[in-house]
Amino acid sequence: MWILGCAVALVVVVYLMRAKKLSGIEEMHNSEFYFGGTLVVYREVLQRKTCTLATFMNKLIHDHEFRVFHWAQVGGKTAIVINHPDDIKFMLKDEFNAFMKAKCFIDIFYSLLGDGIFNTNGDKWKEQRITMAHMFNRRQLRDRMSTTFGNHAQEMVQILRDAASSGVPYNIQPLFYCYTFDCINMIAFNRNVNSLKGVEKDCSFQQSFDSVQASVVNRFIAPWWWINSAFGLTQSERDTAEHISRINVYVNEVVDGYYDEEGNIRDDALQGDQTMTGLFLEAAKEEGKKYDRKFLRDMIINVLIAGRDTTGSALTSCVEYLVQHPEWQDKLAEEAKTCFGGNTQEALTFDDIEGKSPVAEAVFLEALRLNPSVPGNEKIAVKDVTFPSGATATKGTYIHWATMATNRRKDYFGEDAEEFNPARWMEGKAYDDYVFPGFNAGPRLCLGKNMAILEGKIALLTIFANFKFTAKPGFKPSLLFSITWQNDSNGMQVAVHEQ
């Protein structure tokens, strides 16, 4: 009899775990009986046909002609995929409190991001956001940024000069990631790292950083990942634990400089400290807040990802499109003459480019539009809602959106929406944050948006004042399966030529 009972229970469980259809919303194309869209996605991503879940979502959104659709998944999880700016505004601003980062998302990234601003909801997020907003509004931080960007951009010039003289194809992607890594370390922690100069400790940290991001994102297609992680059952999770340990050792060197042996923030550590971390802790102290070592560790990791990966990705994308459109390289070189005032050996500052760099800004934003540094995201509805498009999401429904797809809508960006055309940003037309959510939008709008654009412009103007790039014959960049838009180890191969 107990065998029969177990069999009945198994049948009930299997039935309840089926992918369920959602009335009133179109189902994902090629959805299958019982499994819904689960196997469609697994086959596509595991075979790396589109490389990342976000690029696959972009493909699906185009296949559905930009209509909202339902992605039924085995296990009872249900998700809808949106892309219209009105729906995105509804979620990210109008009904902000009706959507949260899902617990499964937070759990997947917790070993890396901890309780940092990118991995929290509610009061934890709000508290960090308010303090960081005060920090970014300080002029001394902006001045520190532009000086740092200009100095490190000149270091890139020396490296590229060697690449030009060698005459062999050069992978420029690591250069940009080292540039942004060195910059964010100086701005955020007053740490003079030398990854641009190939210092082993700083380069190995970045390797661990990239490896963890790639392995952590794989947890999305392995729902049993927490078992593998807890017991070290897979090589991927064992490697992740080792890389996390290396990251913690590196970051804790920064953390230790701010605390005494009792775990209190040292007053002398904050005196004259105009870094992001110093300004953040100073503001927290003024507000009567006290943060422990783990909090500071988590904040630093989140700042590093924001300051290194997103802008490094965007600059790599700039070069990808500029080698296909050399006329924009010429325009950048011409604009650089105005900004530099004839001396390209001097480091550019904020005042040098303010109001004089529309081409550089347009190129940066256009590359970011086509290849968004964070190409997709998800949230979960915490109450029943109806989107402006008419789609209904009940409490517990996951909401996916692909920034990449929204950024390529022809009804907003014209018939050439799939093409690289920086002129669209120079025609007096402004795109709001929901049409172009490249820096997120609403209350979670990226605080470092202006910083990223400034860093990108200074890098582009400094480089193209001195060099031109051509594509390596036959080379086509291939994406890495990661959190951010990043090419694989082949990077972006170019031939470097002196201007």
Side-chain angles (χ1 to χ4, degrees):
M1 181 63 86
W2 67 270
I3 295 178
L4 178 61
C6 289
V8 171
L10 180 62
V11 169
V12 171
V13 170
V14 169
Y15 175 76
L16 293 175
M17 292 284 283
R18 77 193 188 284
K20 303 174 182 67
K21 290 189 176 181
L22 201 62
S23 62
I25 298 181
E26 180 180 355
E27 289 296 316
M28 179 191 289
H29 292 176
N30 301 317
S31 290
E32 300 162 326
F33 174 72
Y34 187 82
F35 294 102
T38 303
L39 295 183
V40 178
V41 174
Y42 269 60
R43 281 194 295 266
E44 191 80 16
V45 175
L46 287 172
Q47 294 171 18
R48 300 295 194 266
K49 290 181 180 178
T50 52
C51 281
T52 72
L53 184 58
T55 50
F56 180 48
M57 281 296 137
N58 174 64
K59 177 178 178 292
L60 284 173
I61 289 168
H62 277 76
D63 291 345
H64 285 264
E65 298 179 343
F66 293 89
R67 297 184 298 273
V68 176
F69 63 89
H70 175 227
W71 173 16
Q73 300 170 52
V74 70
K77 179 180 176 180
T78 186
I80 63 172
V81 181
I82 65 171
N83 71 89
H84 194 281
D86 290 346
D87 285 348
I88 291 174
K89 179 174 179 287
F90 177 82
M91 178 177 61
L92 297 183
K93 181 184 178 185
D94 299 340
E95 288 290 332
F96 177 76
N97 291 323
F99 303 92
M100 296 286 181
K101 286 186 178 289
K103 184 178 183 302
C104 66
F105 181 99
I106 292 172
D107 289 345
I108 282 172
F109 286 104
Y110 194 82
S111 58
L112 177 63
L113 300 179
D115 292 310
I117 194 168
F118 296 139
N119 207 41
T120 52
N121 291 310
D123 291 340
K124 280 186 178 180
W125 166 80
K126 189 174 183 180
E127 187 175 316
Q128 293 182 65
R129 175 81 185 190
I130 291 172
T131 306
M132 284 189 172
H134 292 322
M135 173 187 72
F136 271 97
N137 287 331
R138 301 202 180 188
R139 179 183 174 86
Q140 60 263 46
L141 183 60
R142 189 199 72 188
D143 292 342
R144 183 183 183 86
M145 286 177 187
S146 68
T147 301
T148 301
F149 297 152
N151 289 336
H152 285 302
Q154 287 296 337
E155 288 185 41
M156 285 197 292
V157 169
Q158 300 307 313
I159 294 168
L160 288 170
R161 196 151 279 144
D162 292 338
S165 63
S166 73
V168 299
Y170 179 74
N171 179 8
I172 201 166
Q173 177 174 271
L175 181 74
F176 287 140
Y177 278 76
C178 287
Y179 164 68
T180 54
F181 182 68
D182 288 3
C183 286
I184 194 61
N185 268 275
M186 178 56 70
I187 294 165
F189 323 122
N190 198 31
R191 194 170 193 183
N192 189 21
V193 302
N194 293 291
S195 64
L196 275 169
K197 297 177 181 177
V199 173
E200 173 60 28
K201 182 178 72 170
D202 302 314
C203 293
S204 62
F205 170 84
Q206 293 195 72
Q207 291 166 4
S208 287
F209 211 45
D210 291 335
S211 296
V212 167
Q213 291 183 63
S215 60
V216 165
V217 80
N218 273 303
R219 293 172 175 175
F220 280 106
I221 55 174
W224 52 88
W225 68 267
W226 58 274
I227 299 176
N228 295 335
S229 177
F231 297 100
L233 298 181
T234 62
Q235 189 61 50
S236 174
E237 288 296 339
R238 289 194 293 272
D239 290 344
T240 297
E242 183 178 341
H243 287 304
I244 288 288
S245 178
R246 291 178 187 170
I247 288 170
N248 287 339
V249 168
Y250 188 92
V251 171
N252 283 335
E253 289 181 11
V254 178
V255 174
D256 290 343
Y258 285 98
Y259 289 89
D260 60 26
E261 293 180 358
E262 285 74 39
N264 299 311
I265 296 174
R266 293 171 27 229
D267 290 334
D268 62 315
L270 298 181
Q271 290 176 3
D273 189 341
Q274 300 300 314
T275 66
M276 282 185 181
T277 308
L279 292 172
F280 180 90
L281 291 175
E282 183 182 353
K285 188 174 180 180
E286 291 171 357
E287 295 166 12
K289 299 172 183 175
K290 184 177 180 180
Y291 296 120
D292 60 18
R293 290 172 182 266
K294 181 188 176 301
F295 175 89
L296 192 57
R297 174 266 178 207
D298 294 345
M299 188 198 82
I300 288 171
I301 293 292
N302 283 251
V303 166
L304 283 173
I305 286 181
R308 170 188 177 261
D309 291 37
T310 52
T311 312
S313 166
L315 286 170
T316 304
S317 295
C318 285
V319 172
E320 176 185 341
Y321 289 107
L322 287 168
V323 294
Q324 301 172 44
H325 300 273
E327 69 278 11
W328 284 98
Q329 294 190 50
D330 295 336
K331 292 177 182 180
L332 279 169
E334 193 62 32
E335 184 170 273
K337 290 179 182 177
T338 302
C339 294
F340 274 103
N343 186 359
T344 61
Q345 306 305 310
E346 291 288 331
L348 286 176
T349 66
F350 175 85
D351 292 335
D352 291 330
I353 68 172
E354 177 65 8
K356 295 180 283 187
S357 52
V359 174
E361 184 161 335
V363 167
F364 186 79
L365 293 176
E366 182 69 350
L368 190 62
R369 181 184 72 84
L370 291 170
N371 297 4
S373 298
V374 182
N377 216 323
E378 75 167 17
K379 288 198 173 187
I380 190 170
V382 296
K383 69 175 186 178
D384 297 351
V385 293
T386 300
F387 285 89
S389 61
T392 298
T394 56
K395 181 179 178 179
T397 299
Y398 287 81
I399 316 297
H400 292 273
W401 76 99
T403 305
M404 181 180 179
T406 304
N407 289 354
R408 296 171 181 235
R409 289 184 64 109
K410 292 183 179 179
D411 49 343
Y412 287 90
F413 291 99
E415 289 302 312
D416 66 345
E418 296 280 348
E419 300 171 16
F420 180 77
N421 178 19
R424 76 177 80 248
W425 299 92
M426 303 171 67
E427 295 166 352
K429 183 176 181 180
Y431 301 101
D432 70 32
D433 296 329
Y434 308 99
V435 173
F436 172 61
F439 293 96
N440 213 328
R444 280 189 179 261
L445 177 69
C446 175
L447 286 168
K449 176 181 177 179
N450 293 333
M451 168 183 162
I453 294 173
L454 175 63
E455 183 175 26
K457 291 197 296 185
I458 287 177
L460 290 172
L461 290 166
T462 302
I463 287 171
F464 288 98
N466 293 277
F467 305 100
K468 291 189 72 171
F469 300 134
T470 55
K472 176 185 176 182
F475 175 78
K476 184 177 180 181
S478 178
L479 284 177
L480 182 70
F481 192 63
S482 186
I483 303 170
T484 56
W485 187 291
Q486 183 178 359
N487 294 345
D488 62 18
S489 58
N490 291 317
M492 183 64 218
Q493 303 279 339
V494 296
V496 184
H497 314 277
E498 297 264 10
Q499 281 281 14

